[in-house]
Amino acid sequence: MPKILVIGASGQIGTELTIALRKRHGGDHVIAADVKSGHLQLNNNGPFIPLDVLDCETLQVQVRNHRIDTIYLLVAMLSANGEQHPQKAWQLNMQSLLNVLEVARVENIKQVFWPSSIAVFGPDAPKEHCPQNTELNPSTVYGISKLAGEQWCKYYHSRYDMDIRSLRYPGLISSKTLPGGGTTDYAISIFHSAAFGKPYTCFLGPDTKLPMMYMDDAVRATIELMDAPAKNITVRSSYNLAAMSFTPDELAGEIKEQVPEFEIIYSPDQRQAIADSWPDSIDDSCARQDWNWEAKFCMKGIVEEMLSSI
Ligand code: SER
């Protein structure tokens, strides 16, 4: 049985990933760690430790004390917040990864997971079916940190033969935690308005197409990637991952099917430029080939799930 540490367990991905890992391995085998306490479900079904991942010494002590052999690092400042605080975003996104990689090396950790993002792509990458290997010229500090992080993961794998795995998540849609400073967050906030009978003011224009995924699929992808035999993992930077792409107008239309009185108003802000710099859709054929990735949720399914769970 692995002994897992989830760092950033109170965040959007961390919350649902911790719950899924605990269902699988049992609560005591999955330690949730974060600077802030999280969702009630997280605190009730297994251990939680307060941890600032930027404090490398304490990280190492906790890894030792809990005999950790697998680490999921999910701490990050996302794209929109990162543009407000570029230096802080770089510091948090990079130093958290460097600390985990180094502690993992010294403590002989068996596996590390770290998320990358579609933000590694910039305006010169192909818009449609953006391939695994293409121009990587990100326009946000978040994207720059993810691109550099991918290279660090690859470096630690080739230099120290460590098993580090990563996914380039698209925009993730989930109901357990509120959005946290990303450009794709509109696709979550919209449901909080729709479910409470309020109009939604969208910070992206109606035709802004972006790659998106339901959290259940993202969590399953993460676990399937980590379960795959090491010999199948041909991408040691980070895998493209896809489920669907849609625009705010298309999402609002699907919501209206279920909530006919729902209204959306468009008022694009500085996040529009970030969204415009990202691909419309992603080619995830490497993930499909290497570890049989296949998304399950479509837009209609997401709308049904989100409206019933908020
Ligand atoms: N969801 C992220 C963001 O919008 C992209 O990975 O910043």
Side-chain angles (χ1 to χ4, degrees):
M1 204 55 117
K3 192 75 193 286
I4 299 171
L5 179 65
V6 182
I7 306 171
S10 304
Q12 192 199 4
I13 304 169
T15 300
E16 306 215 21
L17 184 63
T18 303
I19 293 168
L21 289 169
R22 282 180 175 165
K23 263 193 201 138
R24 197 154 186 245
H25 303 291
D28 289 345
H29 284 264
V30 183
I31 316 267
D34 207 308
V35 279
K36 55 181 192 294
S37 66
H39 197 272
L40 208 58
Q41 221 177 321
L42 202 69
N43 300 330
N44 288 346
N45 64 5
F48 177 90
I49 53 169
L51 177 70
D52 178 358
V53 66
L54 298 181
D55 174 355
C56 199
E57 263 172 53
T58 308
L59 170 65
Q60 186 165 8
V61 169
Q62 294 288 9
V63 164
R64 258 188 219 170
N65 286 352
H66 293 279
R67 299 176 188 282
I68 298 298
D69 59 28
T70 306
I71 301 178
Y72 292 77
L73 169 62
L74 299 157
V75 171
M77 192 185 293
L78 296 181
S79 59
N81 275 359
E83 291 311 287
Q84 303 300 315
H85 312 281
Q87 297 279 337
K88 216 169 142 189
W90 176 259
Q91 163 72 3
L92 178 67
N93 296 356
M94 292 318 302
Q95 201 56 51
S96 57
L97 176 62
L98 292 175
N99 287 357
V100 166
L101 289 176
E102 200 46 20
V103 168
R105 181 181 73 79
V106 173
E107 298 298 326
N108 290 314
I109 295 297
K110 282 193 198 136
Q111 269 195 314
V112 175
F113 176 83
W114 176 80
S116 185
S117 159
I118 53 166
V120 294
F121 301 113
D124 56 349
K127 281 278 168 210
E128 294 293 340
H129 307 294
C130 187
Q132 177 70 42
N133 294 309
T134 184
E135 287 80 358
L136 294 169
N137 292 301
S139 60
T140 61
V141 74
Y142 174 68
I144 300 171
S145 71
K146 288 296 179 187
L147 182 56
E150 288 187 2
Q151 294 302 314
W152 275 107
C153 290
K154 201 172 161 190
Y155 176 81
Y156 266 72
H157 167 70
S158 56
R159 170 92 199 258
Y160 303 112
D161 197 23
M162 287 165 61
D163 191 0
I164 302 151
R165 304 185 183 197
S166 177
L167 295 171
R168 289 173 177 161
Y169 291 126
L172 298 181
I173 302 172
S174 63
S175 57
K176 284 204 170 66
T177 51
L178 284 169
T183 302
T184 55
D185 289 0
Y186 89 85
I188 302 174
S189 313
I190 194 170
F191 290 104
H192 288 266
S193 297
F196 295 103
K198 291 186 191 152
Y200 178 66
T201 305
C202 187
F203 57 77
L204 298 181
D207 302 320
T208 313
K209 196 170 179 184
L210 285 170
M212 297 281 185
M213 179 177 281
Y214 194 49
M215 185 59 83
D216 291 32
D217 270 341
V219 165
R220 188 171 51 79
T222 308
I223 293 174
E224 285 177 8
L225 170 70
M226 292 294 267
D227 276 353
K231 65 174 172 36
N232 292 15
I233 306 299
T234 63
V235 177
R236 284 294 179 173
S237 51
S238 187
Y239 277 96
N240 274 12
L241 188 72
M244 75 201 79
S245 292
F246 54 72
T247 66
D249 190 46
E250 287 163 347
L251 182 59
E254 190 62 52
I255 293 174
K256 272 186 206 166
E257 294 282 318
Q258 299 199 31
V259 186
E261 64 282 5
F262 176 65
E263 251 185 85
I264 185 161
I265 302 143
Y266 293 99
S267 176
D269 65 14
Q270 70 285 353
R271 286 168 280 193
Q272 184 68 50
I274 301 177
D276 288 343
S277 76
W278 292 347
D280 292 0
S281 64
I282 299 290
D283 173 359
D284 63 355
S285 44
C286 289
R288 290 167 179 276
Q289 271 158 28
D290 288 0
W291 42 279
N292 300 320
W293 164 244
E294 199 178 343
K296 285 195 178 140
F297 280 85
C298 60
M299 185 169 67
K300 191 175 164 55
I302 291 183
V303 171
E304 282 166 9
E305 289 271 323
M306 288 296 285
L307 289 175
S308 63
S309 54
I310 285 175

